[in-house]
Amino acid sequence: MIKISNLCMALYLLISIISCGWERDYRDAAVRSIQKDTDLILVPYPFNLLDNYGGEASTLSHFSKEELKEIMIEHDLSWDDLKENWGWEESHPEFEKEVKYTSHYTNYSYDSNIPIWLYGPKWIRSGVYSDQIYQQHIPSIYARLLQHPFEKEIDLKKFDKVFRETKEKPEIIVTIIVDQGGDQLYKAHPNSFPFLKSFKNQSAYFKNAKVAHLEAHTVVGHAAIGTGKFPNTTEVFSNEVYTWKNGKVVSRPVFQGKDYQLDLSQFKSLTLADDWDYANNNIPVIISQCYAARASIGMAGHGKDIPIELLDKLKSYSSNSSPDRDFVYWANSLTLRWDTFDKAFEVPSSNQKVDFYEFYLSNKGKVISTFEAKDRVDFSKKVSLFQSSEYQVALDGYTIRDSIEKEIINKSLHNDKVTDLVYVTLKATDAVGHAFGWESKESERVLTATDMEIRKIFDFLRSHYDDKFLLLVTADHGAAPMHVVSKGSFLTHKNLFELVSTLLPEAERNNESLIQWVTHSQMSLNYETMKKFNVSESQIIQLLSNFEMDGKPFFRKIWTRQDLGVEPR
Ligand SMILES: [Zn+2]
């Protein structure tokens, strides 16, 4: 007898073969990311956004006409239309415009195309490689250089040509993530990253690197880089999950457990760092830094707090120790210091003392930025602006170099023959991109600062490690063009919940929801409520498919598990 799942798979393969480019890639990403209780995958038309941060806040952004023109050509958008509506002065090369929040989560090229630079001449053959590569390949590349049997989900075979034959291992592997630094950012500002441009000639540059999962979100990209696994395995599939309670949207950030405490048992895969550290009796130094916890945890993993079922997987190593606390830390916007989760991680002692406001004061005049705060209280109110400024870039670079120096080099652990793993995310590019648009001059200046900071990290590694280090630079995701440019529509989660609630009697709409939870791409339905009010899955699909915003349909596809050839719930 043919099993249902085999039939589903056959149907899925048939659909995959006949579907066109964008749809095939999008479907593959959905299949790799679907959760056990997901019912529907929501695919918007290009440039449309479903996001909780409703786009009410406006920011005054600045643009170069020439750069913007190139962006519009790249994304098939009408330049004449924009020229007519924006009313700028013909003679000025730059102009300003109020813009609304933009974001990222789809599998369209602006969200999913990313660059990868891989440097380490002892191990890597430089050149431009056109093979498609995913973030999930990264830990496999490291494991190969470490000659370490890390469990892989995807094969490295086609990349054999990239590696040199050697038994020598790097003393340190450093991974730098430029947050929201997809191809779209570099194409928008082609003259603003001189270091990375020249770095292309010294490294293996992968021009067809791609986010191969849904959603193109920070935590998902970082967990891919940490684990090499897809969200259907890691269960890390969105920065936050939304539910409906008393007529309001409730947002639960990833890894948040009871009483707003971190719960690392929600992260269902081991990272390479978890595995490598344990297998080597905690001798490797693991450092992971980003001002957002979801990013530093996604790359480093579980530290000392490895859940029992994952710990069992490590038992095959003849290690005689239990997991230790790694250096994994993020910003606390209230204390204005680096913070961590003591049960699993720690902050390097030299960086426990760093105060962000003091750092700002002592770097005034050295860092070129329009950010200003008149005192500590003012600074506290403006933390999000600080985080999207060149000061944050400088703080991130300073802190990670200091951590490496104090925790590895000064303790002579760099030449202990066991490779240390260091991860750092330069996140200001993401914050400025969300608020001002990656097309803006504001984003361009932060990219310039980020490029300079990467050069400093590279020079620092060269001076301490000579040629015995490996450095990888990539992104967690790209982002959508601003709405004023793309004319995309913006649907909030509140409006989505309210839309689906129209299938319920009016009096029940605040207390009941047909949606159990929703992210940006995945939706789980509440079967009990559906049964109680006699609403079917196909009614919900029809409602969503017919939904229009700004006179156009919002969703391009609503896929069921069956459409994707995935086992039923
Ligand atoms: Zn991100």
Side-chain angles (χ1 to χ4, degrees), residues 309-361:
E309 63 277 16
L310 292 180
L311 204 51
D312 282 344
K313 289 191 175 187
L314 292 174
K315 291 286 161 62
S316 60
Y317 297 117
S318 55
S319 178
N320 50 23
S321 49
S322 43
D324 69 340
R325 297 203 295 173
D326 298 322
F327 298 111
V328 181
Y329 50 97
W330 47 86
N332 184 323
S333 302
L334 299 174
T335 61
L336 303 180
R337 283 171 190 263
W338 294 107
D339 201 356
T340 191
F341 178 51
D342 295 332
K343 200 175 161 195
F345 313 123
E346 59 186 306
V347 183
S349 55
S350 60
N351 279 318
Q352 287 172 14
K353 299 179 212 113
V354 175
D355 176 281
F356 303 159
Y357 178 61
E358 295 293 334
F359 181 88
Y360 159 70
L361 288 183

Side-chain angles (χ1 to χ4, degrees), residues 397-416:
Y398 161 79
T399 310
I400 197 68
R401 289 190 296 276
D402 189 73
S403 292
I404 297 172
E405 198 167 331
K406 304 279 165 55
E407 296 300 337
I408 301 177
I409 296 164
N410 291 359
K411 294 180 179 176
S412 293
L413 297 175
H414 55 305
N415 45 24
D416 61 2

Side-chain angles (χ1 to χ4, degrees), residues 104 179-180 217-218 427 430 476-477:
H104 46 80
D179 204 305
Q180 209 184 108
H217 256 193
T218 297
K427 203 178 187 343
D430 183 63
D476 53 347
H477 51 74

Side-chain angles (χ1 to χ4, degrees), residues 92-306:
H92 286 196
E94 284 187 22
F95 62 98
E96 54 182 39
K97 178 87 182 162
E98 291 254 322
V99 302
K100 284 182 177 174
Y101 179 90
T102 185
S103 197
H104 46 80
Y105 69 93
T106 74
N107 200 248
Y108 293 125
S109 61
Y110 49 78
D111 279 342
S112 69
N113 290 1
I114 55 170
I116 295 181
W117 291 262
L118 177 59
Y119 173 88
K122 273 181 182 266
W123 305 275
I124 301 298
R125 289 179 214 280
S126 61
V128 177
Y129 295 90
S130 55
D131 308 83
Q132 195 160 77
I133 185 169
Y134 306 149
Q135 291 157 328
Q136 281 80 1
H137 283 102
I138 293 170
S140 300
I141 292 172
Y142 297 169
R144 178 176 167 144
L145 299 177
L146 297 172
Q147 299 147 47
H148 179 64
F150 183 59
E151 188 186 63
K152 290 193 269 294
E153 220 163 69
I154 40 178
D155 194 67
L156 268 189
K157 199 113 204 78
K158 67 178 172 184
F159 297 106
D160 278 349
K161 61 197 170 211
V162 178
F163 297 96
R164 293 184 193 283
E165 277 308 317
T166 171
K167 286 270 173 255
E168 189 180 342
K169 295 176 190 174
E171 288 183 350
I172 189 170
I173 296 178
V174 178
T175 308
I176 301 177
I177 311 299
V178 178
D179 204 305
Q180 209 184 108
D183 287 349
Q184 92 296 342
L185 181 66
Y186 299 96
K187 279 186 184 161
H189 311 292
N191 302 315
S192 306
F193 52 99
F195 174 71
L196 285 174
K197 205 174 264 176
S198 70
F199 199 43
K200 229 182 203 176
N201 304 325
Q202 304 174 58
S203 51
Y205 178 74
F206 297 92
K207 63 176 188 178
N208 289 316
K210 196 172 165 34
V211 176
H213 50 252
L214 284 179
E215 309 179 352
H217 256 193
T218 297
V219 76
V220 196
H222 283 80
I225 291 161
T227 65
K229 311 286 189 303
F230 290 98
N232 56 358
T233 306
T234 62
E235 295 187 23
V236 173
F237 62 106
S238 179
N239 280 0
E240 57 285 301
V241 174
Y242 302 99
T243 50
W244 185 249
K245 206 175 169 189
N246 303 328
K248 284 207 169 79
V249 178
V250 179
S251 156
R252 185 182 65 80
V254 66
F255 306 140
Q256 183 182 287
K258 273 188 201 142
D259 304 325
Y260 302 97
Q261 284 291 310
L262 276 177
D263 174 9
L264 298 180
S265 69
Q266 295 173 21
F267 192 176
K268 303 288 186 193
S269 297
L270 289 166
T271 59
L272 174 68
D274 286 333
D275 201 276
W276 176 245
D277 201 22
Y278 187 87
N280 289 283
N281 295 310
N282 299 319
I283 296 168
V285 180
I286 309 293
I287 304 175
S288 186
Q289 173 195 305
C290 176
Y291 72 64
R294 57 184 177 272
S296 42
I297 294 172
M299 297 187 285
H302 303 80
K304 196 178 166 64
D305 190 20
I306 300 185

